[in-house]
Amino acid sequence: MSQQQISLPAKLINGGIAGIVGVTCVFPIDLAKTRLQNQRPGQQVYKSMMDCLVKTVRSEGYFGMYRGAAVNLTLVTPEKAIKLAANDFFRQHLSSNGKGLTVFKEMLAGCGAGMCQVIITTPMEMLKIQLQDAGRLASQQQKPVMMTPTKLVSTNTMLSRSFNSGAMLTAVRPVSATQIAKELLRTQGIQGLYKGLGATLMRDVPFSVVYFPLFANLNKLGQRSPDEPSPFAWAFVSGCVAGSTAAVAVNPCDVVKTRLQSLNKGSSEEAYNGVVDCVSKILRKEGPSAFLKGAGCRALVIAPLFGIAQVMYFVGVGEYIMDSVSFNVLSA
């Protein structure tokens, strides 16, 4: 990989296709992860991942499990493309004379990839979380409790109207990602879409630092010779193992990011003023175990997602498409 010239358009195509296929397969589990991470003690609507998915289907229908998927499917292509292509780019420039990279340089390449991807990841996660968590808030509000607008983030007035009537609860009006984005841009500017940027960096940079070197070394074990790629199944399993390991390792940062990016709060759910405030309040009120909420779901999401990504990447779907396009252009 590092010894070959990077075909950037092909790598972007590989990352994009892998992202779309992967997200479509695992999005319901990601929705369960978000809802489990946002639950507070004493207000638990869901007991487990399966309980969350069953209740979601019952209350919101089958497509309720895909609430927020449109945002991911739209932005996962550039996000995964940037992540994979950036790692390939840094690996190539850190290698010398075609020799393999040291573990430290592999970690540096992963760090660079993680820093690049947050340009897309932060607004994508920001919008996705609002849509994913809407069902949890609606279920929580079905209890006969008086809800007041002060329980919601003051800057998100449009979402407050959608989930809160100021009196006894009424039917929840769905809000689209476009409406949320417009409201955030109108009230807070571009920084509104990048709320939780610090926490996203805290999650994505260590994730890439762990994932890419781990995958590269696991994948090498399946190579019969340095010049041959590893078998299809080995690349998939390597991606799954590396992805799930990295996902669980950075899950505490993912919990903090999810809490910070959730604009709506249920009854008795307080807001957080930055990463340090969020960490201290979670530790004080919920204990250290709260940082592992949704860890199993996240591992189940990331494992196939990155397994599929690496298979697409190494099979060379993008290269095949680019070669076909080039052949058709030359033949015309």
Side-chain angles (χ1 to χ4, degrees), residues 315-329:
V315 165
V317 177
E319 285 85 342
Y320 175 79
I321 292 173
M322 290 301 298
D323 289 343
S324 298
V325 170
S326 299
F327 177 77
N328 290 333
V329 171

Side-chain angles (χ1 to χ4, degrees), residues 107-298:
M107 293 173 70
L108 282 179
C111 179
M115 294 182 71
C116 290
Q117 79 171 82
V118 297
I119 299 170
I120 301 294
T121 304
T122 306
M124 178 181 75
E125 293 276 317
M126 183 72 182
L127 298 175
K128 182 195 73 173
I129 285 171
Q130 315 318 314
L131 298 171
Q132 285 184 328
D133 203 37
R136 181 189 69 88
L137 290 170
S139 296
Q140 189 184 93
Q141 290 180 358
Q142 284 173 4
K143 299 175 184 178
V145 180
M146 295 291 290
M147 298 289 290
T148 61
T150 56
K151 293 293 183 185
L152 299 165
V153 177
S154 59
T155 56
N156 201 19
T157 55
M158 180 190 67
L159 290 178
S160 299
R161 290 196 298 271
S162 299
F163 294 110
N164 195 332
S165 63
M168 294 301 289
L169 286 172
T170 58
V172 177
R173 297 199 305 273
V175 180
S176 70
T178 304
Q179 288 175 299
I180 297 172
K182 285 181 178 178
E183 182 71 11
L184 286 171
L185 288 171
R186 185 183 66 81
T187 57
Q188 301 179 38
I190 191 68
Q191 63 266 32
L193 289 173
Y194 281 87
K195 183 178 181 181
L197 175 62
T200 306
L201 280 167
M202 283 174 55
R203 182 196 69 172
D204 288 350
V205 172
F207 178 93
S208 295
V209 166
V210 173
Y211 171 78
F212 284 111
L214 181 57
F215 169 78
N217 286 281
L218 287 174
N219 197 54
K220 283 179 185 176
L221 297 176
Q223 293 177 324
R224 294 184 177 89
S225 68
D227 297 327
E228 292 182 18
S230 59
F232 181 93
W234 192 275
F236 178 80
V237 172
S238 297
C240 288
V241 172
S244 57
T245 302
V248 173
V250 302
N251 195 75
C253 300
D254 190 57
V255 171
V256 173
K257 182 197 72 66
T258 300
R259 295 283 182 94
L260 287 174
Q261 289 187 320
S262 296
L263 298 177
N264 278 308
K265 306 295 177 185
S267 176
S268 303
E269 292 180 2
E270 58 187 329
Y272 304 105
N273 185 26
V275 173
V276 176
D277 181 57
C278 181
V279 171
S280 63
K281 285 180 178 177
I282 291 174
L283 274 174
R284 187 171 68 251
K285 297 187 176 182
E286 302 175 54
S289 62
F291 291 109
L292 293 178
K293 284 184 177 180
C297 292
R298 183 161 164 76

